[in-house]
Amino acid sequence: MARQSDGERKARQKERQQRLRDRHRAERRPDRDDVARAMLFWTITSYLEQRQPDWIEELADAVVGVLVDQGFDERAADEVFDDLVGRYARDDQPFRRKVHLQG
């Protein structure tokens, strides 16, 4: 059997991934980013409601540390985290609507 070219292999992988995404959409199955977003939102808003700024700072330090270890700029990561905290403090549902999940 002849070996697949990179183009053929990538095309088959692309089709397989699209079928998986379509199946997950039909099943209304969240992906890891959806879960991570929800968990971060819940954690930050819980800390805000409990008036625990020290916990938010501790979480920020941990999250920014992980991002820096991955190669992101520390100041930029800190700014993004602070922006999220501000956004979550202002808005009780700061996420885009998932139109494909409605109805």
Side-chain angles (χ1 to χ4, degrees):
M1 179 181 235
R3 186 167 185 236
Q4 281 184 331
S5 72
D6 280 346
E8 291 170 327
R9 185 181 51 77
K10 288 178 182 179
R12 287 183 59 196
Q13 182 180 13
K14 183 178 177 181
E15 290 173 21
R16 194 170 43 248
Q17 285 296 321
Q18 186 60 54
R19 283 194 308 271
L20 181 64
R21 284 191 299 272
D22 291 345
R23 190 180 88 221
H24 285 176
R25 181 175 289 127
E27 294 171 354
R28 298 169 59 134
R29 178 186 175 98
D31 64 16
R32 67 179 179 168
D33 291 339
D34 295 316
V35 172
R37 241 186 321 276
M39 186 169 55
L40 184 62
F41 173 73
W42 179 84
T43 302
I44 290 172
T45 56
S46 294
Y47 290 175
L48 289 169
E49 288 170 4
Q50 295 173 36
R51 302 190 194 291
Q52 295 294 341
D54 293 345
W55 294 358
I56 293 173
E57 280 303 312
E58 190 175 329
L59 180 63
D61 291 345
V63 170
V64 169
V66 169
L67 293 169
V68 168
D69 288 348
Q70 291 178 23
F72 290 100
D73 178 74
E74 184 173 5
R75 187 170 26 172
D78 203 35
E79 287 174 9
V80 170
F81 189 91
D82 288 345
D83 289 346
L84 275 176
V85 171
R87 184 174 175 190
Y88 292 172
R90 289 187 307 274
D91 190 353
D92 65 346
Q93 278 302 327
F95 306 117
R96 293 184 193 156
R97 276 192 20 211
K98 302 276 185 168
V99 178
H100 65 280
L101 298 177
Q102 305 301 315

